[in-house]
Amino acid sequence: SLKEEPLMSHKEQLFNRVVEYLDSQNWNYDLDDSEKGIIRFGMNLGSKLKNCRIIVVVSEKDIQSIAVCPINASKDVYDNVVEFLTRANYGLKLGKFEFDYSDGEIRYQYCLACGGAVPSLADVERCVDVGYFMLKMYGDGLAKNLMGFGNPEADIKEIESK
């Protein structure tokens, strides 16, 4: 008798779709723990921030992409950085900047809700790439505020007027 292969879980299907997208871009990545659905890789930003880490977390119902800024804020610039990120977040439709007050970590997070469907490669691309593009777009202004000589309101106006 033929043995039936067990069906892939939805999480495995989502995980495989993310890997398919990353492979289509010829990117190097680490499968930290496929059981937990975590994939990590770095991307060059071409800005004053230089690069960022991307963490993709796959669950049964969604794909979450987190782009982590390479520089944590020091406590003396928390106010400027938080104002900068809050102004950047205003009106965003795809994801958000996040700030961790415990250690000054800055990241951009986006979540693609999948329900029971497997997203298209274009949807996975947007999910994985949006944080990178947001750190690239806001990176130089963020760097100025991280170094303590930025003006959050003026920096955001300059970035968003381009």
Side-chain angles (χ1 to χ4, degrees):
S1 74
L2 291 175
K3 236 177 134 179
E4 278 192 39
E5 290 293 318
L7 292 174
M8 248 192 291
S9 73
H10 190 247
K11 180 178 176 178
E12 289 172 309
Q13 291 173 342
L14 296 177
F15 189 85
N16 288 343
R17 182 53 55 100
V18 172
V19 168
E20 180 184 357
Y21 168 66
L22 297 175
D23 287 346
S24 77
Q25 302 302 301
N26 294 314
W27 290 346
N28 295 319
Y29 54 88
D30 293 318
L31 302 175
D32 270 12
D33 188 341
S34 57
E35 288 292 311
K36 291 183 180 169
I38 300 173
I39 303 167
R40 296 177 193 268
F41 57 98
M43 292 187 76
N44 186 331
L45 291 167
S47 73
K48 287 180 174 63
L49 294 178
K50 302 288 185 210
N51 58 52
C52 67
R53 284 182 299 128
I54 306 288
I55 304 164
V56 180
V57 182
V58 179
S59 72
E60 278 296 328
K61 301 270 186 213
D62 59 51
I63 301 168
Q64 180 183 22
S65 178
I66 303 161
V68 182
C69 178
I71 303 167
N72 287 21
S74 56
K75 288 198 185 304
D76 62 319
V77 296
Y78 274 20
D79 288 347
N80 267 25
V81 170
V82 169
E83 180 183 344
F84 178 88
L85 297 175
T86 300
R87 289 178 181 279
N89 273 337
Y90 187 77
L92 290 181
K93 294 180 180 168
L94 294 176
K96 65 185 182 255
F97 281 103
E98 297 179 326
F99 182 79
D100 186 341
Y101 272 95
S102 68
D103 64 3
E105 181 183 76
I106 300 158
R107 62 190 201 170
Y108 194 89
Q109 191 261 124
Y110 177 78
C111 186
L112 176 63
C114 301
V118 176
S120 69
L121 283 177
D123 287 338
V124 172
E125 176 180 17
R126 182 173 38 260
C127 175
V128 170
D129 292 2
V130 71
Y132 160 80
F133 284 115
M134 296 307 279
L135 278 176
K136 184 176 179 76
M137 178 178 169
Y138 288 95
D140 287 348
L142 179 56
K144 286 195 318 194
N145 284 275
L146 284 165
M147 296 303 154
F149 57 86
N151 176 320
E153 183 176 9
D155 295 337
I156 291 296
K157 280 183 181 170
E158 180 184 339
I159 291 164
E160 292 179 350
S161 69
K162 293 179 183 174

